Amino acid sequence: MPDDKKAIFANITADDVANEAGVSRWTVNRAFRKEASISPKSLEKVRAAAERLGYVPDLRAASLASDRSNLVALLIDDFANPHKLVMMERLTRILRREGWDILLINTLDRNDAGHALLNASQRRVDAVILIGLQFDDDMLETALHARRFRKLIIFARSSRNPDTISIAVDDVESMNEMAIYVNERGYRRPMFLAGPRTSSAHLLRKETFVEYWRQHFGIEPETVEVSAYDPALASDVVENVLSSRNPAMLPDILVCENDSLAIGATDVIRHKLGLRIPEDIAITGFDDVPQADNPNYSLTTYRQPLTEMVEYLVEVLSNPDQTNLNRLFTGALIARRSA
Amino acid sequence: MPDDKKAIFANITADDVANEAGVSRWTVNRAFRKEASISPKSLEKVRAAAERLGYVPDLRAASLASDRSNLVALLIDDFANPHKLVMMERLTRILRREGWDILLINTLDRNDAGHALLNASQRRVDAVILIGLQFDDDMLETALHARRFRKLIIFARSSRNPDTISIAVDDVESMNEMAIYVNERGYRRPMFLAGPRTSSAHLLRKETFVEYWRQHFGIEPETVEVSAYDPALASDVVENVLSSRNPAMLPDILVCENDSLAIGATDVIRHKLGLRIPEDIAITGFDDVPQADNPNYSLTTYRQPLTEMVEYLVEVLSNPDQTNLNRLFTGALIARRSA
DNA sequence: GCAATTTTTGCTCACGGGAGCAAGAGGAAT
DNA sequence: ATTCCTCTTGCTCCCGTGAGCAAAAATTGC
C-alpha cells in the first residue's frame, strides 16, 4: 500500500494543514498553541484538517523559535537504589501530566557529570534536575559555570549552593523524629550506619542523630561508614564490625541513613550473624522503598512526601524566578516491625 | 558579578564564534560535526574560540535542519518491576556512549500509550523503544499508523508485528532450558505461575513449559495466573491457591514467569504458609533481578544478556533498514539455592 | 447605522544550524 | 611555470515554528 507508506513518511507541516483548511499557516500553529487567540470556527477547521492529514506540531522548531523547550534533563547517577525507581515513576508521571518532557541522562560517575550537563545543554533544556549523591558542591560550581539552562534543581537532597534550587525532606526534622522514636522505644545502644561522605556533599542525617543522642544521653553513639549506598557493601561492613563482638557489646539498634543500607544490614544480621530482628538488634532505614514493606524486612523507616515534592517542582519549573525557591518538606515516620 | 551573569545567560551562537575565530559560521559548525571536512588549523582556531566563549551547538537546530534528532523515546509502563531499573541503566549508559539521547516517557496505562507516542512524535525522535507489557499488537497497530518516527523497537519482548523490530531473549529456548533443569533436578509436580494475558500480548514462556511437560510426562502441569507482575499480588494468588491444600497435593516447584512473581511467591510460602524453600517447595524465576542474588531469595532464574541486546539495539538504530532486524538472544540459567 | 473597540488573521523577521554547490587555496604532475 | 586535481571554505537556500505588529473582521455602544 504505497499510499499508506506515503502517509507514514511524509512530513506534514503546518503549511499543508493551512492549505487543507483554507487558512494561513499561522492560524494553524495558533490552533495548537495553548495561549493563542483563535476563533472557535477556525480552530475546528484546523483540527479537522490536521486530523485528516495526520499533522503533529514539531516541538523542535517551536522550541527553537520560542526559546522554551518544555524539556527538562533528569540526571541520575545511581540506578542500583530502588528508591530511584520510585522517584522516577513519580517524576515522569507528574511532569508529563503538566506538559514537561524528560531527557534521561545516566551520569556514570563524578567525572562524567560535566559531560552529562553538556548533553543537556545541547538540547537546550529549560531545567536540569539532579537526583543523586555524587553531585557535590564542587561539581555544582562547574555545572553552573557552563550552564545553558535556566534552573538547576537538586531533588531529594539539600544543597547550600545559592544558585541551585533544592527540593528535599528536612533532614534535621526527620532524623530528630527518628531519634525520638528510637529513644522512646527504649533503645539505648544505637549504632549509626552512614553512607559515603563525598567531600562537601553531606546529608545532615548522621549529624542530627549524633547530636540528639549527645544532648539526651551525653554520649556519642557509635557510627560506621559504608563507601556506597549498596546493600551488599553494607552487609560486608556490618559483618566486619559486628561479627567479632562480644554479644554484650552489640548495639541494640542500627539506625541507617537509608533503606538500601538497612536492607543490607538486615540480611547479614539475620543470615550471617544469626541474630533476630528486632529482638537482638533492631533496624531503621530511610526512604520507605517498596521492599521496606515486604514481610522479610518490615522496615521502620521514613517516607518522603514525593508527590508533594514533585508537585512543587512543577511549580518551580514555571516560576520565572531562579533563586530562593528552596523548600524543605516534612514526611512521615513509618513504624513497622524492625524497630 | 554582572559579567559572569551575562556569560551564563547570553546565547552564544556559531556566528559569535565565527567572529571570534575569524572564520565563517559554516566553518564553525563544521568543527562540531563529525563527518565534516575541515583543516586542522581552523579546527583548532574554532575550538579555542568556542572554549573562550562557552559555545555549545544547539541540537534542536541541527536536528531541524538535518532531519535526524539522535533522540530516541523510551516508553516504559511499569516502574514497579526492579528489572526495569536494570534495563534502564544499561540502555541509558550504552546509548549515551554511542551518542543517542533518551526521552523518557512513562506510559501510564494502555489507553495512554497513544498519547505517549504522540509525545515522542512531537519531538521527532528517530526511534521509539518500548519496554513493557501492555504494548499489545492492537496498540502497535495504532502506533504504527500515527507514527512520525522511523523505527519502533520492542525491547525484551518478542512481537509478531512485521513493522516492528523486536530484540529479546528467545522465550522458547530459555524456558526449555529451565524445564530441563526442573526435570533433571527431579521435580515432578510443577506449578506454573504466569502473569496477565493481555489480549494478544503474550510471552511464550508458559506455553513452552507446559508443552515440554506434556511431551515428557504426558501430563499438563497446573498453571495459575496473576493479574499483574506485582509481588504482592503474586503473594495473594499463591496464598489463595495453596493455603487450603492438603500437603500431599502441593506442587514441589513453582516455576514463575519472572522474578517479581517468584519473589512474591517466596515471601508468602515462607511467611504465611510456613514452608521451606526449596525443601518443601522450590521456586524459579526469570530475569535475574538484583534481589534474586540476595541470600533471602537466592533465586534460580534466567539472565538475559542485556548488554549484548542493547549493543545490538544501537546497531539497529544506525541501520538504514527498517525491517527484518528482529533478533533473539540466548541468556544463561543461573542456578541458586531456591531450586 | 456609524464610530470605537476588541478579536482574529496574515505577515515580516528571526531562531540556529545542515545540505549541497561553487569558488578559493594548496599541492602534485608535467 | 602551467595545468589538473583535491581539500577547504563561503554561500544560498532551506528546516518548521513563534513573537509581535498591522490589517482585517467581528463585536459593542449609542
Side-chain angles (χ1 to χ4, degrees):
Chain A
M1 32 199 94
D3 197 43
D4 199 14
K5 284 293 175 198
K6 208 178 70 192
I8 285 176
F9 292 104
N11 224 9
I12 313 289
T13 83
D15 279 307
D16 303 325
V17 180
N19 279 338
E20 173 85 8
V23 297
S24 73
R25 174 172 83 64
W26 298 273
T27 303
V28 172
N29 290 338
R30 268 189 271 259
F32 287 91
R33 220 179 311 148
K34 199 81 183 140
E35 351 66 76
S37 133
I38 187 176
S39 70
K41 211 169 46 185
S42 8
L43 179 63
E44 189 40 48
K45 274 197 296 189
V46 172
R47 289 257 181 235
E51 178 77 19
R52 254 172 286 146
L53 269 50
Y55 167 74
V56 183
D58 187 330
L59 288 188
R60 297 172 304 178
S63 151
L64 191 57
S66 71
D67 202 40
R68 287 194 75 248
S69 60
N70 272 287
L71 232 197
V72 300
L74 191 60
L75 268 61
I76 302 198
D77 66 353
D78 169 20
F79 281 78
N81 188 337
H83 192 48
K84 292 283 160 64
L85 197 54
V86 178
M87 290 204 264
M88 289 177 67
E89 195 281 329
R90 214 61 56 89
L91 279 163
T92 52
R93 181 152 51 78
I94 297 178
L95 283 178
R96 187 152 100 79
R97 190 187 69 201
E98 303 292 329
W100 294 92
D101 283 337
I102 296 182
L103 198 65
L104 178 64
I105 302 182
N106 181 348
T107 314
L108 307 176
D109 55 52
R110 266 199 95 256
N111 300 327
D112 187 52
H115 294 108
L117 282 159
L118 197 69
N119 257 50
S121 297
Q122 300 204 127
R123 298 277 174 197
R124 300 294 191 266
V125 297
D126 289 334
V128 172
I129 303 174
L130 262 36
I131 307 188
L133 301 147
Q134 62 200 200
F135 303 113
D136 59 28
D137 289 357
D138 287 354
M139 204 229 79
L140 292 184
E141 206 52 56
T142 320
L144 285 163
H145 179 69
R147 77 167 167 187
R148 305 274 308 213
F149 36 86
R150 295 174 183 65
K151 297 196 173 88
L152 184 59
I153 300 171
I154 320 275
F155 191 77
R157 237 204 64 213
S158 53
S159 157
R160 289 161 315 177
N161 190 307
D163 290 326
T164 64
I165 299 165
S166 136
I167 299 177
V169 121
D170 187 333
D171 279 334
V172 173
E173 184 191 37
S174 56
M175 197 38 95
N176 261 322
E177 192 176 337
M178 185 63 83
I180 292 170
Y181 178 84
V182 169
N183 178 359
E184 289 183 346
R185 302 280 291 184
Y187 297 105
R188 287 297 172 270
R189 297 189 312 282
M191 170 182 276
F192 194 94
L193 192 62
R197 292 280 85 83
T198 62
S199 63
S200 53
H202 64 173
L203 294 166
L204 292 169
R205 292 177 198 161
K206 184 180 84 172
E207 286 82 341
T208 303
F209 185 82
V210 168
E211 185 55 28
Y212 175 96
W213 215 257
R214 184 162 31 205
Q215 297 240 342
H216 285 74
F217 296 99
I219 54 168
E220 184 106 356
E222 227 177 329
T223 68
V224 175
E225 184 177 321
V226 183
S227 62
Y229 294 96
D230 174 40
L233 267 178
S235 292
D236 291 349
V237 169
V238 170
E239 187 179 4
N240 276 342
V241 173
L242 299 187
S243 64
S244 57
R245 239 177 237 211
N246 180 323
M249 297 297 289
L250 286 174
D252 56 358
I253 187 166
L254 216 50
V255 178
C256 303
E257 196 177 293
N258 76 12
D259 288 351
S260 275
L261 299 178
I263 283 170
T266 303
D267 289 341
V268 79
I269 287 176
R270 248 199 219 122
H271 296 90
K272 287 265 176 69
L273 307 183
L275 299 174
R276 293 162 308 160
I277 297 170
E279 295 82 355
D280 300 322
I281 299 186
I283 292 192
T284 68
F286 203 103
D287 284 345
D288 194 27
V289 300
Q291 244 186 301
D293 194 31
N294 179 296
N296 269 325
Y297 298 101
S298 191
L299 187 62
T300 292
T301 184
Y302 192 90
R303 180 187 298 157
Q304 311 189 27
L306 276 186
T307 301
E308 256 182 81
M309 287 162 66
V310 176
E311 255 145 22
Y312 176 65
L313 170 58
V314 169
E315 234 178 87
V316 165
L317 286 178
S318 37
N319 192 315
D321 288 347
Q322 321 219 14
T323 46
N324 285 3
L325 291 172
N326 294 331
R327 184 120 117 202
L328 290 181
F329 288 79
T330 299
L333 193 144
I334 309 292
R336 297 203 181 88
R337 291 198 311 274
S338 79
Chain B
M1 31 198 99
D3 195 45
D4 199 15
K5 285 293 175 199
K6 208 177 72 190
I8 285 175
F9 292 103
N11 224 8
I12 312 288
T13 83
D15 279 308
D16 303 325
V17 180
N19 279 337
E20 173 85 8
V23 297
S24 73
R25 174 171 84 64
W26 298 274
T27 303
V28 172
N29 290 336
R30 267 188 272 258
F32 288 91
R33 219 179 311 146
K34 199 84 181 129
E35 350 69 74
S37 133
I38 187 173
S39 72
K41 210 169 46 185
S42 8
L43 179 63
E44 189 40 48
K45 274 196 296 187
V46 171
R47 290 261 182 232
E51 178 78 19
R52 253 171 287 147
L53 269 53
Y55 168 73
V56 183
D58 187 329
L59 287 188
R60 298 171 305 179
S63 151
L64 191 57
S66 71
D67 203 39
R68 288 194 76 249
S69 60
N70 272 289
L71 230 199
V72 300
L74 191 61
L75 268 63
I76 301 198
D77 66 354
D78 170 20
F79 280 77
N81 189 337
H83 192 46
K84 291 281 160 64
L85 198 54
V86 178
M87 291 205 264
M88 289 177 65
E89 194 281 329
R90 214 61 56 90
L91 280 163
T92 51
R93 182 152 50 79
I94 297 178
L95 284 178
R96 187 152 99 80
R97 191 187 67 201
E98 302 292 329
W100 294 92
D101 283 338
I102 296 182
L103 198 65
L104 177 64
I105 302 182
N106 181 348
T107 315
L108 307 175
D109 55 52
R110 265 201 95 257
N111 300 327
D112 186 53
H115 293 108
L117 282 159
L118 198 69
N119 257 50
S121 297
Q122 300 203 126
R123 297 277 174 196
R124 300 296 191 267
V125 298
D126 289 333
V128 172
I129 303 174
L130 261 37
I131 307 188
L133 301 146
Q134 64 202 194
F135 304 113
D136 60 27
D137 289 358
D138 287 354
M139 203 230 79
L140 291 184
E141 207 53 58
T142 319
L144 285 162
H145 178 69
R147 76 166 167 188
R148 304 273 307 214
F149 36 84
R150 295 174 184 65
K151 298 196 172 87
L152 185 58
I153 300 171
I154 321 275
F155 191 78
R157 237 203 64 215
S158 54
S159 156
R160 289 161 315 178
N161 190 308
D163 289 326
T164 65
I165 299 164
S166 135
I167 299 176
V169 119
D170 187 333
D171 279 334
V172 174
E173 184 191 37
S174 57
M175 198 37 96
N176 261 321
E177 193 177 337
M178 185 64 82
I180 291 170
Y181 178 84
V182 168
N183 177 359
E184 289 182 345
R185 302 280 291 185
Y187 297 104
R188 286 299 171 269
R189 298 189 311 282
M191 171 182 276
F192 195 95
L193 192 63
R197 291 281 84 84
T198 62
S199 63
S200 53
H202 64 172
L203 295 166
L204 290 169
R205 292 176 198 163
K206 184 180 84 172
E207 288 80 341
T208 303
F209 186 82
V210 169
E211 185 55 28
Y212 175 96
W213 215 258
R214 185 161 31 206
Q215 297 237 342
H216 286 71
F217 296 98
I219 54 170
E220 183 105 357
E222 226 176 329
T223 68
V224 174
E225 186 177 320
V226 183
S227 62
Y229 294 98
D230 175 39
L233 267 178
S235 292
D236 292 349
V237 169
V238 170
E239 186 178 5
N240 276 342
V241 173
L242 299 186
S243 65
S244 57
R245 237 177 240 210
N246 180 322
M249 297 296 290
L250 286 175
D252 56 359
I253 187 167
L254 216 50
V255 178
C256 303
E257 197 177 292
N258 75 12
D259 288 350
S260 276
L261 299 179
I263 283 169
T266 302
D267 289 341
V268 80
I269 286 175
R270 250 200 217 123
H271 296 91
K272 287 266 177 68
L273 307 183
L275 299 173
R276 292 163 308 161
I277 295 170
E279 294 82 356
D280 301 321
I281 299 187
I283 293 193
T284 68
F286 203 103
D287 283 345
D288 194 27
V289 300
Q291 245 187 300
D293 194 32
N294 179 296
N296 269 327
Y297 297 101
S298 190
L299 187 63
T300 293
T301 185
Y302 192 91
R303 179 186 298 157
Q304 310 189 27
L306 277 186
T307 301
E308 258 183 79
M309 287 162 67
V310 176
E311 254 145 21
Y312 177 65
L313 170 59
V314 169
E315 237 178 84
V316 165
L317 286 178
S318 37
N319 192 315
D321 289 348
Q322 322 221 16
T323 47
N324 285 4
L325 291 172
N326 293 331
R327 184 120 117 201
L328 291 180
F329 287 79
T330 300
L333 193 143
I334 309 293
R336 296 204 181 89
R337 290 199 311 273
S338 78

